[in-house]
Amino acid sequence: MNTNKSVGQYVADDYRAASVFEKYGIDFCCKGNATLQAVCAQKELDPVLIEAELDHVMDSKIAEYIDFKDWPMDLLADYIEKKHHRYVEQTMPVIKKYLEKLCLVHGGQHPELIEIAAQFNASCDDLKAHMRKEELVLFPFVRQLSEAHQNGTKLKHPPFGSIQHPIHMLELDHAIEGNRFQVIADRSNHYTPPPDACNTYKVAYALLQEYETDLHKHIHLENNILFQKAMDLEAQVINLN
């Protein structure tokens, strides 16, 4: 345990430490030079507990290969909703808060932040509506298709006709989000903070990059696996001719 390490250095070494400091109201930006020991003494926090939480957060990158193509379609829909949709919902407000602060403090010197924030805010609004369409329309029908296939039964035509219709619209949404994050990546120099960046700046860019990575995987699972499985199974369960 190195409680003499500054809180700013923890975040500089691994941006995920910021989530622990935020939880306990520890300023890792403007007062980032303070050691963890000093901060814990001032706030009457247990440094052992804080260090344990930091270790847990920073050791949470466990990479496992999962062949999602072999997953049942309804299980994959559940996974996307509970993992990726939940991640988006939890992370959106955090990034928006960081970007709002950066625009206020650094927007004059770095006008690209204004465009990055505008692109991200637009993405938030559209992606929330997009996920609701999936959760209320597409995913329930995917589960019905899967159940009918398992039981050897047939389904009636859905209100939207072929499942290809909502899938086409959702794929268009995905393309829009891909283009938005290409703009964000370009304007941020591929998430490279400028030389004068504070810790808040660095955390915001790190979170944006992580968010984009998760979004790419999210879209991949839908476009390349779930949607194709659903269209293939629809042809077996429903006679659309």
Side-chain angles (χ1 to χ4, degrees):
M1 181 171 66
N2 184 11
T3 53
N4 288 320
K5 185 176 178 179
S6 74
V7 293
Q9 191 58 51
Y10 271 100
V11 178
D13 291 344
D14 191 322
Y15 74 93
R16 291 172 295 174
S19 64
V20 176
F21 294 146
E22 289 253 342
K23 175 181 176 181
Y24 291 99
I26 296 173
D27 185 346
F28 58 85
C29 184
C30 299
K31 299 179 181 178
N33 290 331
T35 66
L36 182 58
Q37 181 78 38
V39 170
C40 288
Q42 180 187 12
K43 290 183 169 288
E44 298 183 349
L45 298 171
D46 182 353
V48 176
L49 173 64
I50 303 298
E51 188 74 18
E53 291 198 31
L54 288 168
D55 288 342
H56 175 73
V57 167
M58 293 187 284
D59 288 343
S60 61
K61 270 189 176 177
I62 301 174
E64 290 185 18
Y65 174 73
I66 301 175
D67 190 355
F68 291 100
K69 297 190 298 297
D70 289 340
W71 281 29
M73 190 170 66
D74 52 345
L75 178 60
L76 184 55
D78 290 344
Y79 176 84
I80 291 170
E81 185 172 337
K82 289 181 171 59
K83 180 172 176 59
H84 293 290
H85 286 199
R86 190 170 295 173
Y87 171 83
V88 168
E89 291 167 351
Q90 292 174 344
T91 310
M92 272 181 181
V94 177
I95 296 177
K96 289 180 76 170
K97 182 184 70 172
Y98 278 127
L99 289 177
E100 182 179 357
K101 181 177 180 180
L102 288 179
C103 288
L104 287 173
V105 177
H106 300 286
Q109 295 79 20
H110 297 284
E112 69 276 4
L113 288 169
I114 308 300
E115 184 175 3
I116 289 171
Q119 291 284 347
F120 185 75
N121 290 339
S123 175
C124 289
D125 292 339
D126 287 351
L127 201 52
K128 283 189 283 190
H130 172 91
M131 293 190 302
R132 293 293 84 77
K133 285 185 287 187
E134 291 182 338
E135 293 170 9
L136 297 175
V137 178
L138 183 68
F139 289 179
F141 186 63
V142 161
R143 295 180 182 108
Q144 291 177 38
L145 280 174
S146 183
E147 183 179 5
H149 178 68
Q150 291 173 20
N151 296 335
T153 58
K154 296 288 185 180
L155 287 179
K156 296 180 180 179
H157 290 269
F160 45 75
S162 170
I163 199 171
Q164 295 180 36
H165 299 149
I167 283 176
H168 176 67
M169 298 305 297
L170 294 170
E171 287 177 333
L172 290 177
D173 290 347
H174 288 166
I176 291 171
E177 295 311 316
N179 291 335
R180 278 191 177 129
F181 270 87
Q182 185 60 60
V183 172
I184 291 173
D186 291 343
R187 297 297 182 270
S188 65
N189 192 22
H190 297 280
Y191 308 106
T192 304
D196 61 340
C198 61
N199 274 334
T200 298
Y201 214 129
K202 294 172 184 177
V203 170
Y205 272 22
L207 285 172
L208 272 171
Q209 187 172 28
E210 179 189 79
Y211 186 95
E212 183 190 41
T213 298
D214 183 87
L215 186 62
H216 285 169
K217 184 174 182 181
H218 179 174
I219 291 173
H220 158 71
L221 290 176
E222 292 184 347
N223 281 8
N224 300 326
I225 302 179
L226 180 65
F227 292 172
Q228 190 59 54
K229 280 178 174 283
M231 289 187 290
D232 291 345
L233 192 56
E234 180 186 54
Q236 301 177 42
V237 175
I238 299 178
N239 182 4
L240 295 174
N241 298 322

